[in-house]
Amino acid sequence: MSTPPQLPAPSPSARPTPTDRLFACLAGAVAGFAALGVAELVAAAVRPVAGPVTAVGGSVIDLTPAAVKEWAIRTFGESDKTVLQIGIVVVLAVVAVLLGRCELWRRGAGVAGMLAFGVLGAAAAVSRPDASSADALPSLVGASAGAGLLYWLVGRILAAPGAPASSRRRFLLVAGGTAAGAAGAVVLGRALGSTRSQDAEASRAAVRLPRPDEPAPPRPAGAQLAVPGAVPFITPNKDFYRVDTALVVPKVDATSWRLRVHGLGVAKELTLSFDDLLARPVLERDLTLNCVSNEVGGPYIGTARWTGVRLADVLREAGVRPPSRGGPADQLVARSVDGITIGTPVADVMDGRDALLAFGMNGEPLPFTHGFPVRMLVPGLYGYVSACKWIEEIELTTFDAYDAYWTRNGWAAKAPVKTQSRIDTPRGSARLRAGTVMVAGVAWAQRRGIERVEVRIDDGPWQRAELAASDGPDTWRQWYLRWSATPGDHTLAVRATDGSGETQTARRTGTMPDGATGHHEIRVTVE
């Protein structure tokens, strides 16, 4: 019985060398970078937010557990979105390198992997609330270009394994040129995408805020403390906190913007333009806005002078009645241009408080980061249930029928602001000189106002602080205490009592599901 002929074993020189494997990793990285570059170019033609990094980032935000989101906000602050995007790019780079090795190991494996990632990116893009089927194109076209490049580059390695240095130099030149082209594609794509926002920027520059029919009441002269380290009573726009889910700030052209009002109990559906709003009775109000993600003593709070129109007047024009007067809708769902939904009690909007459709902030049109052309504000409620930015739709419904975005993510459906206070000066861990030290900060309880603030040094008694003049119940109130500081380590705590007589609780809780509680404490050293 004869044995079948044996094929000769490949010579060692025919097998990929460690250098070949390294070059395959480089091929994967270059192909991945090229895929992103092509995708950015296509996204510029389709829609900048349809790019794979932005689309995947949006899906990651939606799918991330609320506790992890809170950790990201606490850890990275307003840089959380930048960190997320960098993280996505790093992950994609690592995957691309591994796909290069896979393609060297088995032809077609790396290509299939890159195409699969393109499909994932496309699925993420079309799953966004404001997406269309065209949003899949950037990821699909980019992945196809990257897959083709990966196949060709690895093919060059396999065609001459263990190639001499001259061939390797040629490979590096090709890879380098491709990488440079990909970088150019990214830059060009971003530049083309930015041109799409020029109309929005021009429309904002053309806005002239009308003189308010109801100016804000004169601010008391004593509302701002002359204490070093105290925050400004009015927060400058550039310093006002920003917490939202938008990886790319929407830039909406005010000339084409429309607001639709419809839904349960709406007798007359409305569609309002920006000019329609400007033509209505305009009022301005000083209002404090704070985020439910604000930890005890945290920075996500600010006060601004807002200009806009009464939201309740718009609802009445549409024939909406509050539940107390037999209206069938108890929830107002505001929709942003980026698809985010915010649910607000109809009763709170129509109970006489200054709920606004705002288009001005501190004397200028809303900045894009704060919702230009129009955002919603409802005093007394945390931002996630009241302060829809880039608003384009208001639907009347019920809490039983619809869960808004944050409610679906584990937050309470209703969230009135809790009474809170904060020490702004001295800072925690400060080293102070013995003698008189000014301790100062802010306290807030929108709709109820602040009646009293007290400070405790170590385990001593609560001492009543001096209050700055009040600018009304819907703004924070500054306070100060002269402390005769003695040498040693000390703990300072603050608590506030609101206008209803309720003193903030000492019980420390986290921000979920409806806002943090507890006393703000700092530790200082007096020398």
Side-chain angles (χ1 to χ4, degrees):
M1 181 175 173
S2 61
T3 59
Q6 300 293 315
L7 293 175
S11 66
S13 63
R15 297 172 180 169
T17 66
T19 300
D20 294 331
R21 289 190 283 271
L22 179 63
F23 273 47
C25 292
L26 176 61
V30 169
F33 191 29
L36 282 180
V38 172
E40 287 291 338
L41 268 179
V42 177
V46 175
R47 212 166 55 114
V49 294
V53 174
T54 302
V56 170
S59 294
V60 168
I61 290 174
D62 289 349
L63 297 174
T64 299
V68 178
K69 292 178 186 175
E70 283 302 290
W71 172 85
I73 291 173
R74 288 195 308 272
T75 305
F76 303 113
E78 296 184 23
S79 299
D80 58 340
K81 299 170 188 64
T82 300
V83 171
L84 173 60
Q85 290 178 305
I86 291 173
I88 291 172
V89 172
V90 170
V91 169
L92 291 177
V94 171
V95 170
V97 167
L98 294 176
L99 291 178
R101 286 293 302 271
C102 288
E103 185 65 22
L104 184 68
W105 169 66
R106 178 171 294 177
R107 289 293 269 163
V111 167
M114 188 159 291
L115 292 174
F117 265 82
V119 172
L120 287 176
V126 299
S127 70
R128 307 306 301 143
D130 56 337
S132 67
S133 58
D135 288 352
L137 288 175
S139 292
L140 293 178
V141 175
S144 298
L149 180 61
L150 177 63
Y151 188 85
W152 184 82
L153 287 174
V154 174
R156 302 284 69 73
I157 298 172
L158 291 173
S166 59
S167 297
R168 293 173 184 171
R169 283 194 295 271
R170 284 195 296 273
F171 181 91
L172 289 174
L173 287 173
V174 171
T178 303
V186 170
V187 172
L188 180 59
R190 293 294 173 93
L192 291 174
S194 67
T195 62
R196 295 168 65 95
S197 67
Q198 289 179 357
D199 289 344
E201 292 170 354
S203 73
R204 182 179 182 273
V207 171
R208 298 295 180 266
L209 295 180
R211 183 183 299 275
D213 299 281
E214 293 185 38
R219 190 177 306 129
Q224 172 69 62
L225 291 178
V227 175
V231 298
F233 181 82
I234 293 294
T235 310
N237 291 355
K238 64 181 179 61
D239 298 329
F240 210 95
Y241 79 91
R242 178 196 167 200
V243 176
D244 53 51
T245 63
L247 286 176
V248 176
V249 174
K251 291 193 173 182
V252 181
D253 186 344
T255 61
S256 61
W257 174 87
R258 297 292 184 272
L259 174 67
R260 180 187 177 207
V261 181
H262 67 106
L264 185 66
V266 173
K268 183 179 70 172
E269 184 172 319
L270 300 178
T271 300
L272 301 174
S273 69
F274 190 70
D275 286 341
D276 290 336
L277 285 188
L278 295 182
R280 300 175 72 92
V282 173
L283 68 156
E284 62 178 10
R285 291 291 185 267
D286 292 344
L287 301 175
T288 294
L289 177 64
N290 48 318
C291 181
V292 73
S293 296
N294 206 33
E295 295 280 354
V296 172
Y300 301 128
I301 181 169
T303 298
R305 175 158 290 185
W306 306 92
T307 305
V309 302
R310 280 197 174 87
L311 175 55
D313 289 348
V314 173
L315 296 181
R316 291 189 189 98
E317 183 178 327
V320 176
R321 291 174 291 128
S324 62
R325 297 185 59 188
D330 62 6
Q331 180 182 206
L332 178 160
V333 175
R335 287 187 173 84
S336 168
V337 298
D338 66 351
I340 293 299
T341 55
I342 286 179
T344 307
V346 174
D348 291 347
V349 174
M350 303 188 74
D351 67 358
R353 70 185 73 189
D354 291 321
L356 300 179
L357 290 171
F359 42 74
M361 182 179 183
N362 290 333
E364 65 177 75
L366 287 173
F368 287 108
T369 52
H370 294 294
F372 182 83
V374 180
R375 72 175 300 167
M376 195 172 93
L377 295 167
V378 182
L381 304 180
Y382 285 114
Y384 85 99
V385 292
S386 67
C388 183
K389 295 192 282 191
W390 314 294
I391 187 172
E392 68 172 0
E393 182 182 351
I394 292 174
E395 180 181 3
L396 279 299
T397 181
T398 67
F399 283 102
D400 289 338
Y402 186 83
D403 286 336
Y405 177 86
W406 293 108
T407 306
R408 294 195 301 270
N409 282 270
W411 296 88
K414 301 177 182 179
V417 171
K418 297 178 179 179
T419 303
Q420 278 289 318
S421 52
R422 185 182 74 193
I423 300 171
D424 290 327
T425 184
R427 296 291 187 182
S429 302
R431 305 186 75 85
L432 310 171
R433 290 187 177 183
T436 301
V437 173
M438 295 295 285
V439 182
V442 289
W444 59 92
Q446 290 94 307
R447 301 303 301 150
R448 303 178 300 280
I450 293 298
E451 184 67 27
R452 184 171 68 250
V453 172
E454 298 165 290
V455 177
R456 185 174 63 193
I457 311 300
D458 299 323
D459 295 324
W462 287 100
Q463 304 175 51
R464 190 158 182 163
E466 296 292 330
L467 292 176
S470 172
D471 190 34
D474 291 334
T475 61
W476 57 13
R477 195 169 184 182
Q478 297 189 333
W479 58 266
Y480 70 95
L481 176 79
R482 289 185 175 87
W483 170 41
S484 297
T486 58
D489 295 329
H490 299 280
T491 299
L492 282 62
V494 63
R495 70 180 184 185
T497 300
D498 63 32
S500 71
E502 180 180 348
T503 300
Q504 71 178 94
T505 178
R507 182 171 176 267
R508 198 71 177 252
T509 64
T511 56
M512 290 193 69
D514 59 357
T517 64
H519 295 163
H520 184 212
E521 296 183 352
I522 64 168
R523 291 171 176 79
V524 299
T525 299
V526 179
E527 300 173 334

